Amino acid sequence: MHVLLIGSGGREHAIAAALRRSPKLTRLTCAPGNAGIAAIADLAAVDPADHAAVIAFCKAESVDFVVIGPEAPLVAGLVDDLSTAGIKAFGPKREPARLEGSKAFTKELCTEAGIPTAAYGRFSDAEAARAYVLGRGAPIVVKADGLAAGKGVVVASSVGEALAAVDACFSGAFGAAGAEVVIEDCLVGEEASFFAITDGIDVLPLAAAQDHKRVGDGDQGPNTGGMGAYSPTPVVDEAMEMRIMDEIVVPTVRCLARRGTPFVGVLFAGLMIERDGPKLIEYNVRFGDPETEVLLPRLKSDLLELMLASVEGRLSGNIANFDERTALTVMMAADGYPGSYRKGSRIEGLDEAAALPDVSVFHAGTAVNDGAIVANGGRVLAVTALGDSVSEAQAKAYAAVDRVRWPDGFCRRDIGWRAVAREKSAG
Ligand code: AMP
Ligand code: GLY
């Protein structure tokens, strides 16, 4: 089977590596890919935003199955257009992808399906939004409605900060994404990411992970796309996983099926685990980045077969088996990220790092220049290791990070700190 994978991040490198393990795969092409993916797949210079070009490529190259990594092509309806052209693709269609494309859509679905989430209001004018903030007080969370690359959310600790965030949204700071604003209560607890795969009817839990969104050690500094992750995570034990499935994920899938717009693909629930149970912060309609770099190295089942079963509506009876060890990944980013950064700096030592036992080095923003690997983005490498505990996986991941010679990059040194502290206090 010839599979076309859409995307270019560490997530897609991890997906490519997992697809390669499938006996069903005969050829793997990635568009546009990166320097790491190039070692295990053909790269195609096809723009995923140009749906006609993707369809033409699939026809010309006899692509049997398309796997879409990032959210933008899903929200833009690439799966709808491929399926109209008779091409199978993994991921939700445009309407159910609104779970990620519109925060207000998700909040309304939560109300309809009785899913626990923060109380909220949605506003299309600044005056009403400001009045709501003044009525509710702080802390309070202000969100641009649409896709804003993770930057459209302000967790405001004062009313003044919240009012400034409202004004920023309505003055166009997030473009069209900020034409509508969702304001919600601040949830308190520990965050976790939970992944499930569904064919629209049956839902198979995959695994949970914990991301580290802030740029600096101790969760300080601005938010990023994610600086590291580990899986599984002690906040989501078996009992919590059952509650997340029963109270959040399954009701969501049922609700979309009832509406006649079934969700097919990977559903990624961003959760706050509060004292009284899980609350939904947001949905993503795809695998996470960097969560995929810890989820898929643990997956023992055939990823391609699970994806095909999901698209073909025969997920029932399948199981997803995971290695019980912990995987932990450290993101290495270009100096300056998440602000402005330089491209083109040379990176060495990658083969030495990847040769360590239980280590995988996934490329995110990399390219090849004059035969050398160079940085080509903000988040550049995800260095993953497997270990018998979070502490062991962490030590192995940092040992691999320390083999990478990249003077213009940095990483957090404390990925997994919550779980490591728990392991230490448990003795
Ligand atoms: P989102 O883009 O909705 O995932 O929000 C980005 C980050 O903002 C989340 O990962 C949380 O850390 C934080 N956040 C969002 N909504 C809330 C909330 N209601 N309460 C507390 N923190 C939140
Ligand atoms: N790690 C968060 C995301 O993929 O959106």
Side-chain angles (χ1 to χ4, degrees):
M1 170 166 276
H2 181 189
V3 176
L4 172 65
L5 171 63
I6 303 282
S8 62
R11 166 182 51 214
E12 285 74 28
H13 194 181
I15 292 173
L19 291 173
R20 279 284 297 255
R21 295 197 289 270
S22 173
K24 286 197 156 70
L25 187 86
T26 52
R27 182 173 169 206
L28 181 61
T29 303
C30 187
N34 62 37
I37 298 172
I40 56 172
D42 299 330
L43 300 192
V46 180
D47 176 6
D50 184 347
H51 297 189
V54 176
I55 290 166
F57 179 86
C58 290
K59 294 203 162 145
E61 297 293 326
S62 305
V63 168
D64 302 291
F65 191 50
V66 181
V67 174
I68 298 166
E71 63 277 14
L74 297 167
V75 172
L78 181 56
V79 174
D80 307 60
D81 291 342
L82 285 168
S83 105
T84 303
I87 300 160
K88 266 186 208 160
F90 180 76
K93 290 188 172 173
R94 186 187 282 115
E95 178 65 19
R98 290 178 71 199
L99 278 181
E100 180 161 359
S102 162
K103 296 189 190 296
F105 176 89
T106 298
K107 295 303 269 190
E108 275 167 15
L109 185 136
C110 286
T111 306
E112 183 181 333
I115 292 164
T117 186
Y120 78 106
R122 59 183 284 197
F123 305 93
S124 47
D125 75 281
E127 207 169 314
R130 293 174 64 95
Y132 185 82
V133 167
L134 290 168
R136 250 15 235 181
I140 193 155
V141 184
V142 179
K143 303 183 172 185
D145 179 65
L147 286 184
K151 291 178 186 137
V153 176
V154 174
V155 181
S157 47
S158 69
V159 166
E161 198 186 338
L163 293 176
V166 166
D167 291 342
C169 269
F170 286 116
S171 66
F174 306 108
E180 192 161 14
V181 170
V182 167
I183 302 177
E184 61 181 40
D185 289 357
C186 195
L187 299 169
V188 181
E190 201 170 322
E191 280 189 68
S193 306
F194 184 79
F195 297 84
I197 185 169
T198 172
D199 59 12
I201 295 169
D202 286 294
V203 193
L204 206 60
L206 293 173
Q210 196 164 50
D211 189 7
H212 298 62
K213 293 202 168 157
R214 302 298 187 112
V215 74
D217 284 13
D219 294 333
Q220 301 297 310
N223 265 324
T224 68
M227 294 300 292
Y230 66 99
S231 169
T233 167
V235 273
V236 181
D237 57 13
E238 237 171 273
M240 185 57 68
E241 172 172 321
M242 281 176 66
R243 287 194 62 180
I244 293 165
M245 285 293 286
D246 292 348
E247 296 173 24
I248 297 178
V249 177
V250 172
T252 300
V253 170
R254 296 261 182 283
C255 182
L256 287 168
R258 247 191 338 263
R259 290 181 181 182
T261 52
F263 186 98
V264 176
V266 166
L267 196 51
F268 162 1
L271 303 164
M272 189 70 84
I273 310 298
E274 291 200 299
R275 237 202 297 260
D276 63 345
K279 300 268 160 59
L280 182 73
I281 297 177
E282 62 159 0
Y283 269 127
N284 297 309
V285 298
R286 48 164 176 90
F287 277 116
D289 199 350
E291 288 93 336
T292 308
E293 293 93 305
V294 290
L295 233 58
L296 294 184
R298 294 183 54 227
L299 180 68
K300 295 202 278 194
S301 307
D302 182 335
L303 178 66
L304 180 52
E305 171 52 26
L306 285 172
M307 288 174 160
L308 283 166
S310 143
V311 172
E312 290 165 3
R314 48 176 184 82
L315 206 53
S316 163
N318 278 278
I319 37 167
N321 278 317
F322 285 87
D323 191 324
E324 283 180 7
R325 288 179 296 168
T326 293
L328 183 142
T329 198
V330 178
M331 264 292 172
M332 300 183 73
D335 284 341
Y337 175 81
S340 60
Y341 51 81
R342 235 164 41 82
K343 288 185 179 178
S345 56
R346 243 178 120 102
I347 305 169
E348 290 172 330
L350 295 175
D351 292 342
E352 283 161 57
L356 294 173
D358 301 320
V359 168
S360 307
V361 177
F362 297 113
H363 291 225
T366 64
V368 178
N369 192 1
D370 277 344
I373 302 286
V374 298
N376 193 39
R379 294 190 300 167
V380 171
L381 298 166
V383 179
T384 300
L386 283 159
D388 289 328
S389 61
V390 183
S391 313
E392 191 189 303
Q394 187 195 54
K396 285 158 97 173
Y398 282 111
V401 163
D402 290 337
R403 300 290 172 101
V404 176
R405 295 186 296 281
W406 180 30
D408 295 330
F410 75 99
C411 65
R412 278 181 64 161
R413 298 299 309 192
D414 66 343
I415 300 303
W417 65 272
R418 282 196 174 82
V420 168
R422 278 193 179 94
E423 285 175 357
K424 283 213 175 97
S425 70

